[in-house]
Amino acid sequence: MVSDQDVLTALQSVPGPDGKTPLPQSGALAGLSIKDGKVYLSIAIDPKQSAALEPMRAAAETVVRKLSGVANALVSLTAEMHPAPPPAAAKPAAPRSIAIPGISNIIAVASGKGGVGKSTTCVNLALGLAALGWRVGILDADIYGPSLPRLLGLKAKPEAQGRLMQPLEAYGVKAMSIGFLVEEEDPMIWRGPMVMAAIQQLLREVAWGELDCLLVDMPPGTGDAQLTLAQNVPLAGAVVVSTPQDLALIDARRGIAMFNKVDVPVLGIIENMSYFLCPHCGGRSDIFAHGGARHEAERYGVPFLGEVPLHMGIRENSDAGRPVVATDPDGAHAKIYRAIAGQIKERLERGRARVAPKIFIE
Ligand SMILES: Nc1ncnc2c1ncn2[C@@H]1O[C@H](COP(=O)(O)OP(=O)(O)OP(=O)(O)O)[C@@H](O)[C@H]1O
Ligand SMILES: [Mg+2]
């Protein structure tokens, strides 16, 4: 049986689109799937270069076909970071994306709905995992609305280290965001395929070093862009953030269904802005009703990871680049985030991530 690794080793002898860097390191490999000895490989390129890069495509096909155990190889050039589709007659093999050397687990932090506190949760979970002794990185995959620079209080530009970019670092975690490379006010007018290419670069052309976990702060929504991302980033699992009200939960459900579709295990749901404790009287108000996400998790057989309250301190600190887990590690909120991080870590370590039952929502 031919493996992904066999194919990648063979492709070392084929220079990528720049004519120098071997294909596997070029960042251009967009998808690889192997089914019954047939290898489908797609290489993402600038469509204007498709004629010039035809010899590269043919060379890749030739070296893969020579491998023992390969019945046939189909290499396609694509403008999008999509895996090459197998022929219609064949049952589609699950698309796989190529692992990143040195990174043990890549986890998506997602929500169906925008503004539910995904980025805030992502940063605090990253710091929680770091507090538990893990080497952690955060990738901001929200190209249109990057928030990592603000949430981590980072303003510097990443430096180049040979062919790779050096990630920035804050509070002991590494970070990469398009927001480090462009000004906050610059409009992002990129279209879908370019966005995916940019994310692949932020993921693969960065000197992350050895990481136990890379958290990917996903853009909001469950559309094509998010699906492509979930498919093309080698995810070990996903965490879904929701607020308790019905509308957000419907979107969270779509998020779970999306990850199911691409066979990414949902590690659990977090209820953010779960309840409000009045700083003046200490009374508690369930502003968006409470417990909806726990209920939803039970309903779909997905682990429920915890409740984060709606609190002025979380917002103020977060938006000022002082995430609470790092700046108030003994506080009640840090404790909540660390407890959730602990559950995620345990699940990943035991490799017991439960795959939620399949739900399809049209
Ligand atoms: N538990 C919380 N308590 C108080 N404020 C919070 C909490 N979680 C997030 N916020 C605030 O809510 C706002 C939105 O949060 P955040 O940017 O993390 O959401 P998001 O889901 O990433 O949004 P987007 O969909 O735009 O990416 C921010 O101002 C943040 O500080
Ligand atoms: Mg966000």
Side-chain angles (χ1 to χ4, degrees):
M1 280 288 281
V2 64
S3 68
D4 286 9
Q5 199 49 54
D6 297 335
V7 173
L8 294 179
T9 308
L11 290 172
Q12 288 292 341
S13 63
V14 181
D18 68 355
K20 295 193 294 276
T21 320
L23 260 178
Q25 285 89 40
S26 68
L29 287 188
L32 169 60
S33 74
I34 304 174
K35 171 100 177 135
D36 301 332
K38 297 192 196 74
V39 178
Y40 305 100
L41 180 78
S42 55
I43 306 173
I45 58 155
D46 176 349
K48 285 195 234 75
Q49 282 199 294
S50 58
L53 292 173
E54 171 54 28
M56 170 192 79
R57 189 201 64 76
E61 222 166 60
T62 307
V63 297
V64 176
R65 279 191 184 143
K66 281 195 191 135
L67 284 172
S68 81
V70 170
N72 201 358
L74 264 183
V75 178
S76 58
L77 300 178
T78 165
E80 263 176 88
M81 286 295 199
H82 258 309
K91 188 176 176 295
R96 265 172 293 164
S97 36
I98 299 146
I100 299 172
I103 306 185
S104 308
N105 298 289
I106 305 185
I107 303 300
V109 179
S111 72
K113 200 172 158 56
V116 297
K118 217 171 17 288
S119 302
T120 305
T121 308
C122 182
V123 164
N124 281 298
L125 286 182
L127 294 167
L129 287 167
L132 297 170
W134 265 14
R135 295 161 298 178
V136 182
I138 312 175
L139 170 65
D140 189 348
D142 198 344
I143 297 288
Y144 294 112
S147 40
L148 216 46
R150 184 171 40 88
L151 294 183
L152 290 175
L154 286 170
K155 288 212 174 62
K157 290 249 183 290
E159 285 176 17
Q161 188 191 35
R163 215 176 43 77
L164 300 178
M165 268 182 296
Q166 192 70 29
L168 297 185
E169 207 165 322
Y171 306 108
V173 302
K174 293 180 176 166
M176 187 46 80
S177 167
I178 192 81
F180 298 153
L181 305 167
V182 297
E183 296 303 325
E184 206 166 344
E185 305 79 37
D186 287 352
M188 284 287 174
I189 47 169
W190 299 355
R191 305 230 326 270
M194 288 168 76
V195 169
M196 199 54 229
I199 291 172
Q200 289 287 354
Q201 259 182 311
L202 295 177
L203 180 66
R204 296 179 190 275
E205 293 177 24
V206 169
W208 291 110
E210 298 278 321
L211 292 182
D212 297 297
C213 188
L214 178 70
L215 290 171
V216 181
D217 182 10
M218 296 275 287
T222 48
D224 275 353
Q226 290 77 7
L227 187 69
T228 309
L229 221 163
Q231 226 163 5
N232 288 295
V233 174
L235 294 172
V239 172
V240 175
V241 180
S242 183
T243 50
Q245 77 269 42
D246 289 347
L247 276 176
L249 287 167
I250 292 170
D251 288 317
R253 219 172 292 157
R254 290 208 179 92
I256 297 172
M258 176 180 83
F259 288 112
N260 275 326
K261 217 184 253 178
V262 291
D263 286 326
V264 171
V266 175
L267 300 170
I269 302 186
I270 298 171
E271 183 163 289
N272 189 36
M273 310 190 192
S274 182
Y275 53 89
F276 175 71
L277 286 181
C278 174
H280 308 294
C281 71
R284 170 175 165 150
S285 320
D286 292 344
I287 293 182
F288 300 123
H290 159 257
R294 180 191 291 273
H295 190 230
E296 211 61 22
E298 278 165 12
R299 196 160 147 209
Y300 290 105
V302 176
F304 181 70
L305 297 173
E307 297 171 350
V308 179
L310 175 67
H311 194 276
M312 191 95 94
I314 296 182
R315 196 203 64 72
E316 281 173 352
N317 284 307
S318 187
D319 294 352
R322 297 189 310 261
V324 290
V325 172
T327 54
D328 184 16
D330 300 321
H333 300 137
K335 210 161 154 189
I336 293 171
Y337 284 118
R338 270 201 308 274
I340 298 175
Q343 291 184 60
I344 294 172
K345 179 167 177 273
E346 195 183 87
R347 263 171 229 286
L348 290 171
E349 278 171 345
R350 299 214 187 138
R352 282 193 305 150
R354 272 173 54 201
V355 182
K358 297 248 175 204
I359 318 162
F360 291 101
I361 297 167
E362 295 307 321

